[in-house]
Amino acid sequence: QVRLVQSGAEVKKPGASVNVSCKPSGYTFTRYYIHWVRQAPGQGLEWLGIINPSSGATNDAREFRGRFTMTTDTSTSTVYMELSSLRSDDTAVYYCVRDGEITGLGWFDTWGQGTLVTVSS
Amino acid sequence: DIVMTQSPDSLAVSLGERATINCKSSRSVLYSFNNKNSLAWYQQKPGQPPRLLIYWASTRESGVPDRFSGNGSTTDFTLTISSLQAEDVAVYYCQQHYGTPRTFGQGTKVEIK
């Protein structure tokens, strides 16, 4: 059974950084790309970026470039995201999601449980 | 970026009746490599992550009831729930998986009339 397990909720002050981990299981870690998506309270879904767990290559959304980083640790089969210079409007649930195609051009077939990041002074 | 626009924003349907949600992309999401449309549909219930329902515009994900169906091509797509059940109350999102950035529609809330 494919699962993505994320780290727990975080509360951060404006200007700080947050790290969220995502540990997939139930499949070969390096075979499928991982995306990050966020959802602000009561709002829709916003794509942040994609990482190839095998090569570490990334592609992120223009509006987050410069303060959003994705990394992978193949020794522990874990993917990480970091968002820096946090603002109040970064308050959201952050999801890691598996791409359904090994090309990285697929749908989002498995979602993590979500990590609530609250930015508040 | 490909802009995805859903309609309506919300709809109320009687139990057992048909619900139809529309999704329009700002440009074609037809993937020439396999002649399939790179369009997915998700269902999200309160407090839960989204759940994949449909991909390649019309391929139902394993375990999804057959009352859910997807249709359309190029820029215009629909998700149909043929006979609405109480457990289908949720927000539904379309998404293009043609490339990056991945983009979603704004969501359609489905309720019971």
Side-chain angles (χ1 to χ4, degrees):
Chain A
Q1 179 192 4
V2 175
R3 290 186 69 200
L4 279 65
V5 178
Q6 300 181 223
S7 50
E10 302 267 8
V11 179
K12 296 291 183 181
K13 293 193 183 304
S17 298
V18 68
N19 283 277
V20 178
S21 68
C22 170
K23 187 168 176 61
S25 61
Y27 69 96
T28 301
F29 173 71
T30 52
R31 261 178 80 80
Y32 291 88
Y33 290 66
I34 294 290
H35 300 259
W36 290 91
V37 173
R38 76 177 185 180
Q39 186 170 37
Q43 301 301 307
L45 301 166
E46 181 176 30
W47 181 82
L48 300 174
I50 180 175
I51 184 167
N52 179 336
S54 178
S55 67
T58 62
N59 184 1
D60 49 24
R62 193 180 316 114
E63 51 267 44
F64 299 101
R65 211 153 286 163
R67 68 183 192 106
F68 180 66
T69 306
M70 293 168 284
T71 55
T72 182
D73 184 342
T74 54
S75 68
T76 60
S77 299
T78 305
V79 177
Y80 300 89
M81 61 142 273
E82 180 183 29
L83 187 62
S84 61
S85 304
L86 288 169
R87 309 184 293 249
S88 58
D89 62 359
D90 290 319
T91 294
V93 175
Y94 289 74
Y95 295 103
C96 64
V97 195
R98 192 183 83 155
D99 194 294
E101 286 273 78
I102 60 174
T103 59
L105 285 175
W107 46 93
F108 295 173
D109 70 354
T110 307
W111 294 66
Q113 83 275 20
T115 297
L116 175 61
V117 175
T118 303
V119 183
S120 174
S121 53
Chain B
D1 298 359
I2 300 175
V3 177
M4 308 299 292
T5 305
Q6 292 180 228
S7 62
D9 289 334
S10 66
L11 75 161
V13 175
S14 301
L15 287 172
E17 296 300 304
R18 177 183 301 259
T20 301
I21 301 168
N22 301 297
C23 175
K24 190 173 184 69
S25 59
S26 61
R27 59 182 174 90
S28 173
V29 296
L30 181 64
Y31 190 36
S32 58
F33 182 75
N34 60 6
N35 204 37
K36 293 184 178 183
N37 291 279
S38 302
L39 192 285
W41 289 97
Y42 302 87
Q43 174 194 65
Q44 187 177 31
K45 297 181 179 180
Q48 297 182 18
R51 171 197 180 194
L52 175 68
L53 297 177
I54 303 279
Y55 56 95
W56 290 134
S58 61
T59 301
R60 201 178 300 116
E61 171 72 332
S62 175
V64 173
D66 60 8
R67 63 181 179 273
F68 291 93
S69 63
N71 274 292
S73 184
T74 316
T75 61
D76 292 278
F77 302 92
T78 59
L79 174 71
T80 300
I81 310 172
S82 60
S83 176
L84 191 75
Q85 304 300 301
E87 61 265 32
D88 301 333
V89 169
V91 178
Y92 293 83
Y93 295 94
C94 64
Q95 178 217 25
Q96 57 82 14
H97 54 91
Y98 187 79
T100 56
R102 295 286 204 278
T103 47
F104 294 88
Q106 77 277 18
T108 296
K109 187 173 186 179
V110 174
E111 300 172 307
I112 305 293
K113 186 187 291 182

